[in-house]
Amino acid sequence: MDSKEIEKLLEKYWNCETSLEEEKQLRDYFQGDVPSSLNETAHLFRYFQTQREESVDAAFDSEVKQKINSGPAGKSVRLWANVARIAAGLAVVVAAGYFIHLEVQKANPNMEDTYSDPRMALEETKKALMMISNSFNKAHQQAGKVKMFNEAEEKIQGTNKKDEQTKIQL
Amino acid sequence: MNREMFETRVLPTKNKLFRFALGLLGSREDAQDVVQEVLVKVWNGREQMGAIENMEAWCMRITKNLSLDRLRSKQRKVTDSMGEGFDLQTNHPTPFERTEIGESMQRITELMASLPDKQRQVMHLRDIEGYSYQEICEILELDMSQVKVNLFRARNFVRERLVKINAYGL
């Protein structure tokens, strides 16, 4: 390639109009001897070339492979890990349920049926209902007293209002 | 994705990922750590990787994001430890490296480093790694016009500086 062609190509390069192929031609050209006017430009293209030769240390690949081997497990191992997690969760729930059941039984030992004869059971139920009924009646009587107080209060308020009205009329 | 696909399609991108991370972080060690993290991420998420069209561009994007995260957390740490004294460590090469690389190459390195971040990233991806504009859009999450403007500005800046160096040795 003659120097005129190179000058043209360089002009295109500076204006960002060169293709990747043309840029490679320039790099190749500047690897050889060049006119002194292009010395500094040659240094630039040689700099690009030397930079491209920069590489990682020799031990790099083995370090990466080692990290990959000791890295997170593959798909099947992860699947099993998830299954194990779910199973452990279920086991905890079942165990907790069992212990709660035991505790409830301890706290209420008379929860089981105590009467085998239906008649006796009916009598006992009647007794229990009567007891509740008596309690309700007692409560009702007490509430009656409160009602009396309310009525008295209303009467008093009523007479007060009448007094005020007569005062206004006077 | 199986192991063979990972080793033939993903692992070989390590040097491109490394150079990109190195450009962002400025430390070989950090850049290698980030690339390892990216590769392990790809492997661990290999079951969802089928939907990704351009795996390499996707890996480059993750590299950029993780590098920037690391940079941010480092900057926080530096700010946090301000009271304990400044960290004077810089990424400038040692005198030995200076002579080894050569003065002119060093000038180009400094010139590239002085570019704004976006421009430097676009120029790196195009001129060093040889990505198409479309791929650069995907990697940097920019639209086409932003990529072209950044590349144009970067090349123009470099060109002007090279002209000055040629003319005045600056």
Side-chain angles (χ1 to χ4, degrees):
Chain A
M1 206 185 289
D2 65 33
S3 61
K4 271 194 176 173
E5 249 180 284
I6 285 297
E7 296 275 355
K8 242 191 220 171
L9 212 52
L10 260 180
E11 198 54 38
K12 269 179 86 180
Y13 170 81
W14 295 123
N15 290 324
C16 300
E17 291 161 355
T18 38
S19 65
L20 283 170
E21 181 54 38
E22 287 169 326
E23 285 166 22
K24 190 182 177 302
Q25 280 175 21
L26 281 172
R27 278 200 300 273
D28 291 344
Y29 171 78
F30 283 112
Q31 288 307 303
D33 291 334
V34 296
S36 59
S37 60
L38 290 174
N39 259 348
E40 287 303 325
T41 315
H43 287 138
L44 177 70
F45 281 92
R46 283 174 202 154
Y47 166 85
F48 293 152
Q49 195 61 42
T50 50
Q51 287 297 302
R52 199 175 291 112
E53 284 153 16
E54 193 84 62
S55 60
V56 293
D57 295 345
F60 184 85
D61 278 18
S62 58
E63 280 172 27
V64 169
K65 284 175 186 170
Q66 203 181 340
K67 278 196 176 176
I68 283 169
N69 289 335
S70 61
K75 203 177 184 178
S76 61
V77 176
R78 279 206 302 273
L79 183 75
W80 279 113
N82 284 337
V83 169
R85 262 185 223 133
I86 293 164
L90 282 177
V92 167
V93 170
V94 168
Y98 177 71
F99 283 114
I100 288 167
H101 178 70
L102 281 185
E103 286 300 313
V104 168
Q105 274 196 339
K106 262 187 215 168
N108 301 305
N110 297 326
M111 281 286 277
E112 286 170 24
D113 287 347
T114 46
Y115 298 98
S116 50
D117 183 359
R119 273 187 202 166
M120 269 182 78
L122 181 66
E123 287 303 315
E124 287 299 318
T125 312
K126 275 182 183 171
K127 265 190 208 168
L129 288 173
M130 279 304 287
M131 198 180 82
I132 294 167
S133 170
N134 284 339
S135 302
F136 266 119
N137 284 337
K138 270 185 198 170
H140 188 67
Q141 279 170 8
Q142 299 300 323
K145 286 177 189 169
V146 176
K147 199 181 169 190
M148 209 169 74
F149 273 113
N150 277 344
E151 281 169 0
E153 199 184 339
E154 277 170 14
K155 274 182 189 171
I156 292 163
Q157 278 178 348
T159 50
N160 281 348
K161 273 182 188 172
K162 274 181 189 171
D163 287 350
E164 276 171 17
Q165 277 173 352
T166 49
K167 272 181 192 172
I168 291 162
Q169 279 171 357
L170 284 170
Chain B
M1 185 196 292
N2 58 26
R3 188 153 187 138
E4 195 193 332
M5 267 174 82
F6 177 80
E7 287 183 12
T8 53
R9 278 185 55 200
V10 181
L11 201 53
T13 63
K14 65 188 175 186
N15 289 329
K16 282 188 177 186
L17 304 181
F18 168 70
R19 288 191 290 264
F20 191 35
L22 184 60
L24 293 165
L25 295 163
S27 144
R28 282 185 68 87
E29 201 183 327
D30 284 346
Q32 289 197 130
D33 281 353
V34 163
V35 178
Q36 269 192 15
E37 209 179 325
V38 172
L39 295 174
V40 171
K41 254 183 202 291
V42 171
W43 177 252
N44 288 342
R46 60 191 175 279
E47 276 140 28
Q48 291 90 49
M49 295 295 159
I52 295 164
E53 274 179 38
N54 189 340
M55 179 65 81
E56 190 178 310
W58 188 82
C59 288
M60 287 291 275
R61 194 164 80 211
I62 304 299
T63 303
K64 180 202 73 176
N65 292 338
L66 290 181
S67 300
L68 294 180
D69 283 351
R70 186 172 279 239
L71 214 53
R72 269 180 227 122
S73 73
K74 277 205 159 186
Q75 276 164 353
R76 260 203 305 278
K77 272 181 202 162
V78 168
T79 327
D80 290 347
S81 61
M82 286 282 253
E84 298 157 23
F86 291 102
D87 183 7
L88 292 173
Q89 195 187 350
T90 60
N91 293 319
H92 291 301
T94 60
F96 171 74
E97 282 170 328
R98 226 171 229 278
T99 49
E100 200 179 52
I101 296 167
E103 279 295 318
S104 46
M105 208 52 110
Q106 184 54 37
R107 269 204 301 267
I108 303 285
T109 310
E110 282 167 8
L111 180 55
M112 292 295 287
S114 67
L115 282 169
D117 289 346
K118 274 270 140 46
Q119 293 180 24
R120 196 177 65 246
Q121 287 165 21
V122 175
M123 199 160 178
H124 174 98
L125 294 173
R126 179 72 184 189
D127 288 328
I128 297 173
E129 304 301 350
Y131 282 113
S132 69
Y133 289 130
Q134 189 54 47
E135 284 171 319
I136 298 172
C137 289
E138 277 178 48
I139 295 167
L140 296 179
E141 296 165 280
L142 296 174
D143 60 42
M144 188 64 85
S145 59
Q146 283 174 305
V147 167
K148 286 187 174 174
V149 163
N150 275 298
L151 185 66
F152 184 77
R153 285 182 184 159
R155 282 183 182 171
N156 251 11
F157 175 80
V158 171
R159 183 188 197 179
E160 281 170 15
R161 295 295 289 270
L162 288 182
V163 168
K164 275 187 188 169
I165 292 167
N166 247 353
Y168 316 111
L170 293 170

